[in-house]
Amino acid sequence: MQTAHSLRSAIRQMMRKLGFNFSALSEKSGVSRGALSLIFVGGTSGYSPMSFHHLTSITEALSLPEDVFFDLYIDECFFGGKPNRTRIEPFLERCLELGQLSCIEAVLSRLNGEPRYLPLLFEIAERQNKKGTNPFTERLYEYLLIYKGDRRSIENAICCYRLFLLRLTEDEENNTRELNTFLPYRDDLPDDLKLEALTILGSLCLNRMDANELEILADELIALCLRLFGTEEIRPSHTFQPEQPLNLSPAVYYSHGYVLKQIALCERGAFREAETYSQYYENLGWLEEPADRERGIAAKLALFAQANRLGCRLMDGNLDVLPEFVDLLDKHPKDIVSGLIVLLKTANDFGISIDEWLLRFPIDLEQILELQDNAYSKQVSRNRYARLLYQLSIYHFNRGRIQESLQAAIQSWELSRRLNNHRMFRLLASLTLMHSGQSEPTDL
């Protein structure tokens, strides 16, 4: 057949150019003479199809780039006019790893939504996802969403979730669109991915400054953790056993919901109610796994709970706890931005000086980002850093330091512009009125 001839002719031509015969090719590639004969000469029923392993072995033996024959191998995946899983699967996986988008598109086009091959494509995409972020899997997830019939299936929700993660950027308007697109599918995720998704969604919602939305997600995460992990007094009837190891410790997921709840309540000024939620994650030793115990996760969360409790008291006007709160900030360098926002907001609300404390914590975004574990925490830190600079601008203005106030405002504006954070733009606009003496700045 013509398509089989194209690949074989190209390889034969390269063999002649490099001075290879089939004996030499067999010896160097490890492919038997018999297999080579059936592939290149054929038998009574014509050519034998070439496996992807044979292709890579031959290509390597000829010292050629790995993908030199990939475009011709596509026809081999559909040898005899029918798709073949044993050839399509390894070929697609390697195309994804090498970023051969044109070959991926050609295979998907030839499959034309064939239902029997949709589970295979889902398996390939998920395997690639486990290896790490691969932007080329985006095309597979998009393809699956087009051709899968059940819009409320677990697989459909997972595809939506993977696309959501792949499409997140530093652009907050983009992230808002992607978040809104994914939100309706979160309930269809399996519990392990739902834990992860609610944690990420909640963190990203911090950038949107919507207390109601944040509280809804916090309540969902709290309810899910209570169902999966129970409490120290009441354990769940069935032990939660995820198919894959969780990305974070159960104690971290458990505490995250309550922290998000506290933040949402603080955004509304309900500081005393927010303070009560520290009690739910300050003693999670009962939830620790052996590895968590070695890392002292419960002990770190206990300190974090105490710092948040003091932060709530500070913002409610209990200034006596200020020295203790600052001391705890030293023990939580990853959360220094949030802690400084609390300090500045307290200073701005109650007209106190915190100059001595600000000197203790250099405000350097790059150093702060180096302490973060992943892209989502880095993105949250960037946006919260813009809010910190906003509060710092107000603080300097109130202390009569107009130049420093303008500098902080400009830095916040530049960072917000880079992040395309329109909500921060609206807040920063109020600083213009503050400097002109026309109004007080908008509160966060």
Side-chain angles (χ1 to χ4, degrees):
M1 61 187 301
Q2 183 179 359
T3 54
H5 181 69
S6 299
L7 174 62
R8 287 153 180 77
S9 295
I11 294 176
R12 280 178 175 273
Q13 182 179 359
M14 190 57 65
M15 288 173 59
R16 288 194 295 270
K17 181 178 180 181
L18 297 174
F20 272 77
N21 57 29
F22 283 113
S23 294
L25 183 62
S26 175
E27 182 178 350
K28 193 166 183 181
S29 68
V31 182
S32 70
R33 282 290 305 271
L36 289 175
S37 178
L38 288 172
I39 291 170
F40 288 95
V41 179
T44 56
S45 57
Y47 294 112
S48 289
M50 185 187 301
S51 73
F52 186 65
H53 173 69
H54 284 156
L55 176 71
T56 56
S57 297
I58 291 169
T59 305
E60 183 179 359
L62 297 173
S63 300
L64 297 172
E66 180 182 357
D67 58 355
V68 67
F69 298 121
F70 273 23
D71 57 336
L72 296 175
Y73 189 76
I74 294 167
D75 290 321
E76 208 74 13
C77 293
F78 297 85
F79 195 90
K82 296 180 180 180
N84 180 275
R85 173 173 181 144
T86 61
R87 293 189 287 278
I88 289 174
E89 186 171 5
F91 179 60
L92 261 185
E93 292 226 41
R94 194 59 184 144
C95 286
L96 285 165
E97 291 166 354
L98 296 178
Q100 289 286 340
L101 188 58
S102 62
C103 293
I104 296 169
E105 290 288 358
V107 171
L108 294 180
S109 177
R110 294 273 286 269
L111 286 173
N112 194 30
E114 171 61 49
R116 290 179 303 160
Y117 281 84
L118 296 180
L120 170 63
L121 297 179
F122 183 76
E123 290 173 18
I124 292 173
E126 285 295 279
R127 280 200 298 269
Q128 287 294 314
N129 183 73
K130 288 175 185 175
K131 295 178 183 178
T133 301
N134 183 341
F136 296 100
T137 58
E138 180 176 351
R139 183 65 187 100
L140 262 63
Y141 289 120
E142 289 175 339
Y143 183 89
L144 288 163
L145 288 177
I146 291 172
Y147 288 103
K148 283 188 70 67
D150 186 359
R151 296 297 174 186
R152 303 304 302 186
S153 68
I154 291 175
E155 291 80 8
N156 190 77
I158 292 174
C159 288
C160 291
Y161 179 52
R162 302 301 188 204
L163 286 173
F164 163 66
L165 296 182
L166 286 167
R167 291 169 176 172
L168 291 178
T169 66
E170 286 191 12
D171 187 314
E172 280 305 308
E173 287 301 296
N174 168 78
N175 293 349
T176 292
R177 288 192 299 271
E178 296 303 330
L179 190 149
N180 289 337
T181 299
F182 169 68
L183 278 174
Y185 297 96
R186 66 189 187 276
D187 288 336
D188 298 322
L189 289 171
D191 286 336
D192 55 342
L193 286 184
K194 192 174 181 183
L195 273 174
E196 178 186 300
L198 288 174
T199 302
I200 293 172
L201 290 170
S203 296
L204 292 176
C205 277
L206 291 175
N207 305 336
R208 290 157 63 121
M209 305 180 214
D210 187 325
N212 292 329
E213 181 182 67
L214 184 59
E215 189 167 12
I216 288 171
L217 291 171
D219 287 340
E220 287 185 23
L221 182 53
I222 290 170
L224 179 60
C225 287
L226 290 174
R227 176 167 65 80
L228 297 179
F229 309 123
T231 65
E232 185 172 11
E233 296 78 19
I234 304 174
R235 300 302 176 90
S237 55
H238 300 287
T239 302
F240 175 49
Q241 296 181 322
E243 292 186 8
Q244 301 294 329
L246 296 174
N247 286 339
L248 300 173
S249 159
V252 174
Y253 288 117
Y254 200 99
S255 64
H256 197 76
Y258 290 111
V259 172
L260 293 177
K261 180 78 170 183
Q262 286 182 303
I263 294 173
L265 291 170
C266 286
E267 290 288 316
R268 293 211 300 263
F271 303 118
R272 294 185 184 181
E273 184 182 355
E275 180 187 339
T276 64
Y277 283 89
S278 284
Q279 65 182 304
Y280 297 115
Y281 62 96
E282 65 183 347
N283 184 20
L284 292 180
W286 60 272
L287 192 55
E288 276 189 311
E289 298 175 346
D292 301 334
R293 198 168 292 113
E294 290 179 9
R295 296 194 298 268
I297 287 178
K300 293 175 183 176
L301 290 173
L303 285 173
F304 191 43
Q306 177 62 5
N308 287 341
R309 177 183 285 112
L310 294 175
C312 292
R313 292 178 184 174
L314 263 182
M315 290 187 289
D316 196 38
N318 185 352
L319 304 182
D320 292 338
V321 302
L322 181 56
E324 187 180 358
F325 177 79
V326 172
D327 287 338
L328 280 175
L329 280 188
D330 276 330
K331 300 174 182 178
H332 286 278
K334 288 184 180 180
D335 302 295
I336 193 66
V337 173
S338 299
L340 289 175
I341 289 175
V342 170
L343 281 179
L344 288 164
K345 193 173 188 309
T346 300
N348 293 334
D349 288 346
F350 298 100
I352 63 171
S353 172
I354 57 168
D355 287 352
E356 61 176 303
W357 310 119
L358 290 179
L359 292 174
R360 187 165 165 179
F361 302 105
I363 305 174
D364 187 310
L365 178 58
E366 294 307 316
Q367 289 182 10
I368 291 165
L369 293 179
E370 287 178 4
L371 296 173
Q372 306 308 313
D373 301 321
N374 54 56
Y376 318 115
S377 57
K378 289 179 187 294
Q379 183 69 356
V380 170
S381 292
R382 290 186 186 95
N383 281 277
R384 292 187 75 76
Y385 191 77
R387 296 180 71 176
L388 184 157
L389 291 169
Y390 169 83
Q391 289 286 355
L392 184 63
S393 178
I394 297 172
Y395 176 73
H396 283 314
F397 182 86
N398 291 340
R399 312 304 294 176
R401 299 190 285 257
I402 305 304
Q403 191 62 38
E404 290 89 339
S405 174
L406 288 171
Q407 183 179 5
I410 291 170
Q411 290 176 334
S412 183
W413 180 271
E414 286 297 322
L415 180 55
S416 299
R417 183 179 60 81
R418 195 181 93 191
L419 297 170
N420 197 25
N421 189 330
H422 289 199
R423 299 194 183 206
M424 275 303 304
F425 292 157
R426 291 193 288 272
L427 281 176
L428 288 162
S430 69
L431 295 183
T432 304
L433 299 176
M434 179 185 75
H435 276 274
S436 65
Q438 296 179 41
S439 81
E440 293 295 320
T442 304
D443 195 7
L444 285 175

